[in-house]
Amino acid sequence: MKVEATKCMHCGACVGTCPENAIFLYEVALTFNDDCTKCGTCVKTCPVGAISMDDD
Amino acid sequence: MIEMRRKCDVLVVGAGPGGSTVARYASQAGADVLLIEKRQEVGSPVRCGEGISAEWIEKYDIHPDPSWTRNKVDGARVFSPNGTMFTVNAENAGDEVGYVIERDAFDRMLAERAVRAGAELKLKTAALGIVKKDGKVVGVKAECMGERFDIEAPIVVGADGYESQVGRWAGIDTTMDPKDVQSCLQYRMVGLELTGNFVDFYLGSKVVPGGYIWSFPKGKDEANVGIGLQVSMVKEPGDAKKYLDKFIAAHPNIAKGQTVEMVAGAVSVCAPIDRTVADGVMLVGDAARQIDPLTGGGIANSVKAGKVAGEVAAQAIEAKDYSAGFFQRYEKGWRAIFENKLYRDYMAKEKLLTLSDETLDKLVGALAEGQLTKVSTLSVLQAIKRKYPELVKEFESML
Ligand SMILES: Cc1cc2nc3c(=O)[nH]c(=O)nc-3n(C[C@H](O)[C@H](O)[C@H](O)COP(=O)(O)OP(=O)(O)OC[C@H]3O[C@@H](n4cnc5c(N)ncnc54)[C@H](O)[C@@H]3O)c2cc1C
C-alpha cells in the first residue's frame, strides 16, 4: 500500500479497521507488515484519502 | 532520566481516559502500576469532538474545572435533512446536557491523577507485541527512545484506543465490519457565527450517508465541526473530507469561520463485542469497542470501564489470580453499567440508517412537536409512536 505522507494525519483510523492487523502507527510513521492482503479497507477508511493501492 | 522499570503488577498500555483511569484506581487500591504511552505528550494531538455529558463525571471523582471544561452547553439540537430542528435542553434532558471540553487538558488531568495515586507513567514508550510463556500473557515487548526490551507483568490492560492491537495480539476478536466504523474528520473553526450554545447534529443522505455532521461550540464564535461517515458508504477515498467541505460551503454562518486545527480518526459503532478479557489481559475503552454506537461518544464509557478494570486488576494481584475466569469480574462489571445502553443505541443506529430523508424529516418533526418534558430513549420512541407507529414497530419490546 502507498501512503502519501503529506496527506496522512497519523490518526490510526486505518490501523484499527485493518482486518489483518497489518498496520502500525508510531507517532507519524505508518507501516504495513507482510500480513497485508491488499483488501483496501484502509483506503476507504482514511478520512483524507491518504492511502492508495500500489501497483507492484 | 531514571532507567525504565522492566517489571510491574499491572501494565497499562495507552494513557487516554481509559488507561489513566485504570491506572488511577488500580494504584489507589495498592497495585504497582506502570502506564506506557507511545506519544510524547498525553492527550495531544487531540482526536475528538470534545463533547461530554455532565451527569457521570462526579461519580468518578472527577470535578469540573475551568482548565478543561471549556464551555457548558445549553443542550443539543438535531437537524433533519429539510432543516427541521428538535431541541434537547436542560429542562427536558436531565443528564444529557454537558460540556465541550479541552480534551488534551482533560486527558492530562486524568494522567496526573493516576500519577498522584502512585502509578508510573512512561511516555514515548510503545507496546510492540505481547510476551507469552506457556500460552499465558506475561508482559509486553516495548520500545522507548530506540531501545527495545520486555516488560514483565502478570496483568496487561489494553487501553490503546481505536487502533488497539493488544487485544488482537492476545487473541481477542475486535475486528469490525466496515459498516460499523465511522471515518471521521473535524475542523476546529473560529470566527463562525453560531446560532446558539448547543451541540448540533445534522442528518441526511445528502449531508452524509450513514452518519452525521456535528458542530460542538467551544465559545461564542468557535466550534468543532466534524463528520462521521460510515466506511461501507465510502465511494471515493477521502469522501469524508468532501462531504464536510460541501456541508460547510452550504452553511454561510459556518463558512465564515477559519479552520485552526484539523482532526482525523475513526470510531466504532458496533454492537458490544463478545469478549473483552483473556488470561492476563483486559481491554478498556475504544480498545474494547465500548463507544456508544448512536452518538459516537466514548470518553464516558472508557472512564466507567476503566474504574472497574482498575479495581479488578488490584483484586487479581491480591488474589494472585490473573485468569480470564477472574477477569469475569471486569467483564460482568462493565456490562452491568452500560452494555444495555450500547445494545439499545446500536439498534437505534441500525434503524436510523434505514430511514429515508423524508422519514427523517417526519420523525424529527414529530419530536419537535411532541414537546417532550423528559427526553429519554423511551420518551422519544413513545413520541414517534404516537404519530408514526409503523416506525417503531421493531422497538415494541422496549416500549
Ligand atoms: C473525530 C472524533 C471525534 C470524537 N468525538 C467524541 C466526543 O465528542 N465525545 C466523546 O465522548 N467521544 C468522542 N470520540 C471518541 C473518543 O475520542 C474515544 O472514545 C476516547 O478517546 C476513548 O478513550 P481511550 O482511553 O479508550 O482511548 P484513546 O483516548 O484513544 O487513548 C489511547 C492511547 O493509547 C495510546 N497507544 C495506542 N497504541 C499504543 C501502543 N502500542 N503503545 C503505547 N501506547 C499506545 C495512544 O497513543 C493513545 O494515547 C471521538 C472520536 C473521534 C475519532
Side-chain angles (χ1 to χ4, degrees):
Chain A
M1 309 301 296
K2 204 169 112 191
V3 183
E4 269 181 76
T6 53
K7 277 192 187 171
C8 175
M9 292 174 61
H10 330 116
C11 72
C14 55
V15 179
T17 318
C18 174
E20 305 300 331
N21 203 17
I23 317 178
F24 191 74
L25 172 73
Y26 200 160
E27 297 278 353
V28 298
L30 193 63
T31 50
F32 289 75
N33 71 22
D34 294 341
D35 294 336
C36 172
T37 62
K38 300 197 186 287
C39 69
T41 306
C42 54
V43 178
K44 281 188 142 191
T45 304
C46 177
V48 293
I51 310 176
S52 54
M53 306 295 250
D54 51 10
D55 294 321
D56 48 296
Chain B
M1 199 169 174
I2 317 159
E3 169 91 356
M4 190 160 157
R5 232 160 20 114
R6 309 270 158 102
K7 211 172 166 168
C8 61
D9 287 345
V10 184
L11 179 70
V12 184
V13 181
S20 289
T21 304
V22 174
R24 166 160 59 108
Y25 281 99
S27 301
Q28 265 171 21
D32 168 30
V33 181
L34 184 58
L35 174 59
I36 63 170
E37 167 55 55
K38 69 178 172 182
R39 299 178 181 186
Q40 61 191 354
E41 193 178 322
V42 170
S44 133
V46 170
R47 282 180 205 148
C48 189
E50 307 185 295
I52 60 171
S53 62
E55 106 288 352
W56 59 276
I57 307 175
E58 302 266 359
K59 279 183 214 146
Y60 293 85
D61 198 19
I62 300 170
H63 311 290
D65 182 274
S67 64
W68 54 268
T69 53
R70 180 62 189 278
N71 179 22
K72 190 164 190 165
V73 298
D74 295 335
R77 300 185 297 196
V78 178
F79 294 86
S80 78
N82 72 4
T84 306
M85 182 179 89
F86 168 54
T87 307
V88 183
N89 53 30
E91 286 88 71
N92 61 17
D95 61 0
E96 289 303 317
V97 166
Y99 299 99
V100 179
I101 62 173
E102 295 290 355
R103 178 65 199 274
D104 45 353
F106 179 78
D107 282 17
R108 276 199 304 274
M109 175 273 295
L110 288 178
E112 286 162 14
R113 294 286 300 276
V115 168
R116 292 207 174 98
E120 185 174 337
L121 170 64
K122 282 293 166 204
L123 298 177
K124 262 186 126 41
T125 306
L128 300 181
I130 227 157
V131 185
K132 283 191 178 177
K133 205 167 147 193
D134 308 324
K136 274 195 303 204
V137 173
V138 293
V140 304
K141 293 182 204 307
E143 185 184 81
C144 175
M145 306 299 281
E147 200 191 337
R148 291 195 177 195
F149 47 89
D150 290 354
I151 304 172
E152 256 177 76
I155 302 176
V156 175
V157 178
D160 44 345
Y162 179 79
E163 66 203 84
S164 176
Q165 295 188 305
V166 170
R168 300 196 270 185
W169 291 329
I172 302 172
D173 184 13
T174 60
T175 48
M176 289 157 299
D177 193 302
K179 80 167 181 54
D180 287 333
V181 177
Q182 299 270 323
S183 167
C184 301
L185 185 69
Q186 173 183 280
Y187 302 145
R188 202 183 106 209
M189 301 182 73
V190 298
L192 35 68
E193 215 166 78
L194 295 170
T195 58
N197 189 25
F198 291 89
V199 295
D200 289 336
F201 300 91
Y202 297 85
L203 304 173
S205 66
K206 300 219 169 54
V207 174
V208 46
Y212 65 79
I213 280 182
W214 68 83
S215 167
F216 293 177
K218 290 198 78 167
K220 277 202 173 58
D221 70 342
E222 199 179 322
N224 290 330
V225 183
I227 185 170
L229 163 64
Q230 197 183 345
V231 168
S232 51
M233 295 290 217
V234 172
K235 293 203 177 68
E236 297 283 330
D239 269 357
K241 183 168 189 314
K242 285 174 215 157
Y243 281 110
L244 182 58
D245 290 342
K246 198 173 117 193
F247 172 86
I248 292 172
H251 289 76
N253 63 314
I254 298 176
K256 264 190 180 158
Q258 294 277 331
T259 299
V260 293
E261 193 177 326
M262 281 170 81
V263 171
V267 297
S268 57
V269 289
C270 55
I273 61 174
D274 294 340
R275 194 158 66 89
T276 59
V277 301
D279 286 331
V281 176
M282 292 186 270
L283 299 182
V284 167
D286 285 11
R289 310 304 182 213
Q290 286 163 334
I291 290 187
D292 186 297
L294 185 61
T295 62
I299 299 170
N301 288 349
S302 64
V303 170
K304 291 176 185 179
K307 175 172 192 267
V308 182
E311 289 169 350
V312 170
Q315 292 161 12
I317 294 297
E318 200 138 296
K320 296 195 169 52
D321 184 348
Y322 321 115
S323 65
F326 193 92
F327 293 158
Q328 288 306 309
R329 293 185 187 194
Y330 168 64
E331 191 84 273
K332 293 201 177 107
W334 77 258
R335 289 181 199 272
I337 303 172
F338 61 85
E339 184 181 38
N340 279 345
K341 185 164 185 337
L342 291 186
Y343 267 121
R344 203 165 56 217
D345 285 355
Y346 179 73
M347 281 162 61
K349 178 213 74 165
E350 289 288 285
K351 179 73 190 173
L352 262 179
L353 291 178
T354 66
L355 303 180
S356 67
D357 283 358
E358 219 178 19
T359 310
L360 279 173
D361 288 332
K362 284 205 256 176
L363 202 144
V364 177
L367 290 175
E369 279 167 34
Q371 306 201 317
L372 306 184
T373 47
K374 172 99 180 75
V375 176
S376 64
T377 313
L378 191 65
S379 70
V380 163
L381 287 171
Q382 281 165 339
I384 299 169
K385 191 182 173 191
R386 281 197 288 278
K387 262 196 119 168
Y388 306 105
E390 71 284 359
L391 279 180
V392 292
K393 265 206 286 281
E394 285 114 285
F395 292 91
E396 209 53 60
S397 61
M398 282 158 57
L399 286 168

Short mmCIF file of all heavy atoms in Angstrom, two decimals, chain B residues 13-19 36-39 47-51 103 125-127 159-161 163 184 214 216 265-267 284-286 291 296-299 302, ligand 1:
data_model
loop_
_atom_site.label_atom_id
_atom_site.label_comp_id
_atom_site.label_asym_id
_atom_site.label_seq_id
_atom_site.Cartn_x
_atom_site.Cartn_y
_atom_site.Cartn_z
N VAL B 13 -1.43 -0.19 28.80
CA VAL B 13 -0.95 0.31 27.52
C VAL B 13 -1.90 1.40 27.02
O VAL B 13 -3.06 1.13 26.71
CB VAL B 13 -0.86 -0.82 26.46
CG1 VAL B 13 -0.34 -0.27 25.14
CG2 VAL B 13 0.01 -1.96 26.96
N GLY B 14 -1.41 2.64 26.98
CA GLY B 14 -2.21 3.75 26.49
C GLY B 14 -2.69 4.66 27.60
O GLY B 14 -3.39 4.22 28.51
N ALA B 15 -2.31 5.95 27.55
CA ALA B 15 -2.70 6.90 28.59
C ALA B 15 -3.80 7.84 28.09
O ALA B 15 -3.72 9.05 28.24
CB ALA B 15 -1.49 7.68 29.09
N GLY B 16 -4.84 7.27 27.49
CA GLY B 16 -6.06 8.03 27.21
C GLY B 16 -6.93 8.00 28.46
O GLY B 16 -6.49 7.55 29.52
N PRO B 17 -8.18 8.46 28.36
CA PRO B 17 -9.06 8.46 29.54
C PRO B 17 -9.24 7.05 30.12
O PRO B 17 -9.29 6.89 31.35
CB PRO B 17 -10.40 8.97 29.01
CG PRO B 17 -10.14 9.53 27.66
CD PRO B 17 -8.80 9.07 27.19
N GLY B 18 -9.30 6.04 29.27
CA GLY B 18 -9.46 4.67 29.76
C GLY B 18 -8.26 4.22 30.57
O GLY B 18 -8.37 3.84 31.74
N GLY B 19 -7.07 4.29 29.96
CA GLY B 19 -5.86 3.81 30.60
C GLY B 19 -5.51 4.56 31.87
O GLY B 19 -5.14 3.96 32.89
N ILE B 36 2.13 2.96 30.10
CA ILE B 36 3.00 3.37 28.99
C ILE B 36 2.19 4.02 27.88
O ILE B 36 1.07 3.63 27.58
CB ILE B 36 3.86 2.20 28.43
CG1 ILE B 36 3.00 1.09 27.83
CG2 ILE B 36 4.79 1.65 29.50
CD1 ILE B 36 3.81 0.05 27.05
N GLU B 37 2.76 5.03 27.28
CA GLU B 37 2.09 5.82 26.25
C GLU B 37 3.08 6.09 25.12
O GLU B 37 4.16 6.61 25.36
CB GLU B 37 1.59 7.15 26.86
CG GLU B 37 1.13 8.20 25.86
CD GLU B 37 0.06 7.71 24.90
OE1 GLU B 37 -0.99 7.23 25.35
OE2 GLU B 37 0.30 7.80 23.67
N LYS B 38 2.68 5.76 23.91
CA LYS B 38 3.66 5.89 22.82
C LYS B 38 3.87 7.33 22.36
O LYS B 38 4.88 7.64 21.76
CB LYS B 38 3.28 5.00 21.65
CG LYS B 38 2.04 5.39 20.89
CD LYS B 38 1.83 4.42 19.73
CE LYS B 38 0.50 4.66 19.05
NZ LYS B 38 0.27 3.70 17.97
N ARG B 39 2.91 8.19 22.66
CA ARG B 39 3.09 9.58 22.24
C ARG B 39 4.08 10.30 23.17
O ARG B 39 4.34 9.84 24.27
CB ARG B 39 1.77 10.32 22.31
CG ARG B 39 0.69 9.77 21.41
CD ARG B 39 -0.53 10.59 21.63
NE ARG B 39 -1.65 10.16 20.84
CZ ARG B 39 -2.80 10.83 20.81
NH1 ARG B 39 -2.95 11.94 21.51
NH2 ARG B 39 -3.79 10.41 20.08
N ARG B 47 -7.86 13.95 19.24
CA ARG B 47 -8.65 13.26 18.22
C ARG B 47 -10.07 13.12 18.74
O ARG B 47 -10.48 12.03 19.12
CB ARG B 47 -8.10 11.85 17.99
CG ARG B 47 -6.87 11.78 17.15
CD ARG B 47 -6.45 10.32 17.02
NE ARG B 47 -5.04 10.23 16.75
CZ ARG B 47 -4.28 9.22 17.15
NH1 ARG B 47 -4.80 8.24 17.86
NH2 ARG B 47 -3.01 9.20 16.85
N CYS B 48 -10.79 14.23 18.80
CA CYS B 48 -12.07 14.17 19.49
C CYS B 48 -12.93 15.39 19.22
O CYS B 48 -12.41 16.48 19.01
CB CYS B 48 -11.79 14.09 20.99
SG CYS B 48 -13.24 13.74 21.98
N GLY B 49 -14.25 15.19 19.27
CA GLY B 49 -15.20 16.30 19.15
C GLY B 49 -15.34 17.06 20.46
O GLY B 49 -15.91 18.14 20.49
N GLU B 50 -14.87 16.44 21.53
CA GLU B 50 -14.75 17.06 22.85
C GLU B 50 -16.08 17.31 23.56
O GLU B 50 -16.16 18.13 24.48
CB GLU B 50 -13.93 18.37 22.77
CG GLU B 50 -12.58 18.18 22.10
CD GLU B 50 -11.71 19.43 22.12
OE1 GLU B 50 -12.11 20.43 21.49
OE2 GLU B 50 -10.65 19.41 22.77
N GLY B 51 -17.13 16.60 23.14
CA GLY B 51 -18.41 16.74 23.82
C GLY B 51 -18.59 15.65 24.86
O GLY B 51 -18.34 14.47 24.58
N ARG B 103 -9.90 18.61 25.36
CA ARG B 103 -9.61 17.19 25.54
C ARG B 103 -8.16 16.91 25.95
O ARG B 103 -7.89 16.02 26.75
CB ARG B 103 -9.96 16.47 24.23
CG ARG B 103 -9.69 15.01 24.18
CD ARG B 103 -10.53 14.19 25.15
NE ARG B 103 -9.90 12.92 25.33
CZ ARG B 103 -10.09 11.87 24.53
NH1 ARG B 103 -10.96 11.92 23.56
NH2 ARG B 103 -9.45 10.74 24.74
N THR B 125 6.81 5.44 24.89
CA THR B 125 7.05 4.02 25.10
C THR B 125 5.90 3.25 24.48
O THR B 125 4.76 3.35 24.94
CB THR B 125 7.14 3.71 26.61
OG1 THR B 125 8.12 4.57 27.21
CG2 THR B 125 7.52 2.26 26.86
N ALA B 126 6.19 2.53 23.43
CA ALA B 126 5.15 1.82 22.69
C ALA B 126 5.19 0.33 22.99
O ALA B 126 6.27 -0.25 23.12
CB ALA B 126 5.33 2.03 21.19
N ALA B 127 4.02 -0.27 23.10
CA ALA B 127 3.95 -1.73 23.13
C ALA B 127 4.01 -2.21 21.69
O ALA B 127 3.30 -1.69 20.83
CB ALA B 127 2.64 -2.18 23.78
N ALA B 159 -5.51 -0.44 26.78
CA ALA B 159 -6.33 0.78 26.72
C ALA B 159 -5.77 1.62 25.59
O ALA B 159 -5.59 2.82 25.69
CB ALA B 159 -6.29 1.54 28.04
N ASP B 160 -5.46 0.91 24.50
CA ASP B 160 -4.70 1.52 23.40
C ASP B 160 -5.59 2.08 22.30
O ASP B 160 -5.15 2.23 21.16
CB ASP B 160 -3.63 0.57 22.85
CG ASP B 160 -4.12 -0.85 22.65
OD1 ASP B 160 -5.19 -1.21 23.18
OD2 ASP B 160 -3.44 -1.62 21.94
N GLY B 161 -6.84 2.40 22.66
CA GLY B 161 -7.66 3.22 21.78
C GLY B 161 -8.20 2.49 20.55
O GLY B 161 -8.15 1.27 20.45
N GLU B 163 -7.10 2.22 17.63
CA GLU B 163 -6.12 1.47 16.85
C GLU B 163 -5.60 0.22 17.58
O GLU B 163 -4.65 -0.40 17.14
CB GLU B 163 -4.95 2.39 16.49
CG GLU B 163 -4.15 2.83 17.70
CD GLU B 163 -3.37 4.12 17.48
OE1 GLU B 163 -3.96 5.20 17.63
OE2 GLU B 163 -2.18 4.05 17.17
N CYS B 184 -13.84 9.63 10.40
CA CYS B 184 -14.15 10.96 10.93
C CYS B 184 -13.12 12.02 10.56
O CYS B 184 -11.92 11.74 10.51
CB CYS B 184 -14.21 10.93 12.46
SG CYS B 184 -15.42 9.78 13.13
N TRP B 214 -21.44 17.10 12.94
CA TRP B 214 -21.66 17.74 14.22
C TRP B 214 -21.01 19.12 14.26
O TRP B 214 -20.06 19.39 13.53
CB TRP B 214 -21.14 16.87 15.37
CG TRP B 214 -19.64 16.71 15.43
CD1 TRP B 214 -18.74 17.56 15.99
CD2 TRP B 214 -18.87 15.59 14.92
NE1 TRP B 214 -17.46 17.06 15.86
CE2 TRP B 214 -17.51 15.86 15.21
CE3 TRP B 214 -19.19 14.41 14.25
CZ2 TRP B 214 -16.48 14.98 14.85
CZ3 TRP B 214 -18.17 13.54 13.89
CH2 TRP B 214 -16.84 13.84 14.19
N PHE B 216 -19.91 21.36 17.64
CA PHE B 216 -19.87 21.47 19.09
C PHE B 216 -19.21 22.81 19.44
O PHE B 216 -18.04 23.02 19.13
CB PHE B 216 -19.06 20.33 19.71
CG PHE B 216 -19.68 18.95 19.58
CD1 PHE B 216 -19.00 17.83 20.06
CD2 PHE B 216 -20.93 18.75 19.00
CE1 PHE B 216 -19.55 16.55 19.95
CE2 PHE B 216 -21.49 17.47 18.89
CZ PHE B 216 -20.78 16.38 19.36
N GLY B 265 -9.75 10.64 12.41
CA GLY B 265 -9.86 9.48 13.29
C GLY B 265 -10.96 8.55 12.85
O GLY B 265 -11.55 8.74 11.78
N ALA B 266 -11.21 7.55 13.67
CA ALA B 266 -12.32 6.64 13.39
C ALA B 266 -12.97 6.26 14.70
O ALA B 266 -12.31 6.26 15.74
CB ALA B 266 -11.82 5.41 12.65
N VAL B 267 -14.26 5.99 14.65
CA VAL B 267 -14.93 5.46 15.83
C VAL B 267 -15.67 4.19 15.46
O VAL B 267 -16.17 4.05 14.35
CB VAL B 267 -15.90 6.47 16.49
CG1 VAL B 267 -15.18 7.70 17.01
CG2 VAL B 267 -17.00 6.88 15.54
N VAL B 284 -9.99 -2.06 27.60
CA VAL B 284 -10.79 -0.96 28.15
C VAL B 284 -10.97 0.14 27.10
O VAL B 284 -10.04 0.45 26.34
CB VAL B 284 -10.07 -0.37 29.40
CG1 VAL B 284 -10.68 0.96 29.81
CG2 VAL B 284 -10.12 -1.35 30.55
N GLY B 285 -12.15 0.72 27.07
CA GLY B 285 -12.40 1.90 26.21
C GLY B 285 -12.52 1.52 24.74
O GLY B 285 -13.05 0.47 24.40
N ASP B 286 -12.00 2.38 23.88
CA ASP B 286 -12.11 2.13 22.44
C ASP B 286 -11.51 0.78 22.06
O ASP B 286 -11.96 0.13 21.12
CB ASP B 286 -11.39 3.23 21.65
CG ASP B 286 -12.17 4.53 21.63
OD1 ASP B 286 -13.16 4.65 22.38
OD2 ASP B 286 -11.79 5.43 20.86
N ILE B 291 -17.48 2.32 22.60
CA ILE B 291 -18.08 3.60 22.18
C ILE B 291 -19.59 3.44 21.98
O ILE B 291 -20.05 2.40 21.53
CB ILE B 291 -17.43 4.06 20.85
CG1 ILE B 291 -15.99 4.50 21.12
CG2 ILE B 291 -18.22 5.18 20.19
CD1 ILE B 291 -15.30 5.12 19.94
N GLY B 296 -21.46 8.02 19.02
CA GLY B 296 -20.03 8.00 18.73
C GLY B 296 -19.20 8.51 19.89
O GLY B 296 -17.99 8.66 19.77
N GLY B 297 -19.83 8.78 21.01
CA GLY B 297 -19.10 9.25 22.20
C GLY B 297 -18.49 8.07 22.94
O GLY B 297 -19.13 7.03 23.12
N GLY B 298 -17.24 8.22 23.39
CA GLY B 298 -16.60 7.11 24.05
C GLY B 298 -15.82 7.48 25.29
O GLY B 298 -15.28 6.62 25.98
N ILE B 299 -15.76 8.78 25.61
CA ILE B 299 -14.96 9.21 26.76
C ILE B 299 -15.56 8.65 28.05
O ILE B 299 -14.87 8.02 28.86
CB ILE B 299 -14.90 10.75 26.85
CG1 ILE B 299 -14.23 11.32 25.59
CG2 ILE B 299 -14.14 11.20 28.10
CD1 ILE B 299 -14.33 12.83 25.47
N SER B 302 -15.16 4.87 28.53
CA SER B 302 -13.80 4.41 28.79
C SER B 302 -13.42 4.67 30.25
O SER B 302 -12.71 3.88 30.86
CB SER B 302 -12.80 5.03 27.81
OG SER B 302 -12.74 6.42 27.97
C1 LIG C 1 -13.13 12.60 15.35
C2 LIG C 1 -13.58 12.02 16.65
C3 LIG C 1 -14.48 12.71 17.43
C4 LIG C 1 -14.90 12.19 18.68
N1 LIG C 1 -15.73 12.93 19.44
C5 LIG C 1 -16.09 12.48 20.67
C6 LIG C 1 -16.90 13.29 21.52
O1 LIG C 1 -17.28 14.41 21.18
N2 LIG C 1 -17.25 12.79 22.73
C7 LIG C 1 -16.82 11.57 23.16
O2 LIG C 1 -17.17 11.16 24.27
N3 LIG C 1 -16.04 10.79 22.38
C8 LIG C 1 -15.65 11.22 21.15
N4 LIG C 1 -14.84 10.44 20.36
C9 LIG C 1 -14.40 9.14 20.88
C10 LIG C 1 -13.33 9.33 21.95
O3 LIG C 1 -12.27 10.10 21.44
C11 LIG C 1 -12.80 7.97 22.41
O4 LIG C 1 -13.89 7.15 22.75
C12 LIG C 1 -11.85 8.09 23.61
O5 LIG C 1 -10.67 8.73 23.26
C13 LIG C 1 -11.54 6.70 24.16
O6 LIG C 1 -10.55 6.74 25.15
P1 LIG C 1 -9.49 5.56 25.29
O7 LIG C 1 -8.75 5.84 26.52
O8 LIG C 1 -10.18 4.26 25.14
O9 LIG C 1 -8.57 5.68 24.01
P2 LIG C 1 -7.66 6.89 23.47
O10 LIG C 1 -8.11 8.17 24.02
O11 LIG C 1 -7.59 6.73 22.00
O12 LIG C 1 -6.24 6.59 24.09
C14 LIG C 1 -5.44 5.52 23.64
C15 LIG C 1 -3.99 5.87 23.90
O13 LIG C 1 -3.19 4.71 23.69
C16 LIG C 1 -2.01 5.08 23.04
N5 LIG C 1 -1.50 3.90 22.34
C17 LIG C 1 -2.05 3.26 21.27
N6 LIG C 1 -1.32 2.20 20.92
C18 LIG C 1 -0.28 2.15 21.79
C19 LIG C 1 0.84 1.27 21.93
N7 LIG C 1 1.00 0.22 21.10
N8 LIG C 1 1.73 1.51 22.91
C20 LIG C 1 1.57 2.58 23.75
N9 LIG C 1 0.54 3.43 23.67
C21 LIG C 1 -0.37 3.22 22.69
C22 LIG C 1 -2.45 6.19 22.11
O14 LIG C 1 -1.34 6.99 21.72
C23 LIG C 1 -3.46 6.94 22.96
O15 LIG C 1 -2.86 7.96 23.71
C24 LIG C 1 -14.42 10.93 19.12
C25 LIG C 1 -13.52 10.22 18.32
C26 LIG C 1 -13.09 10.75 17.10
C27 LIG C 1 -12.12 9.98 16.29
#
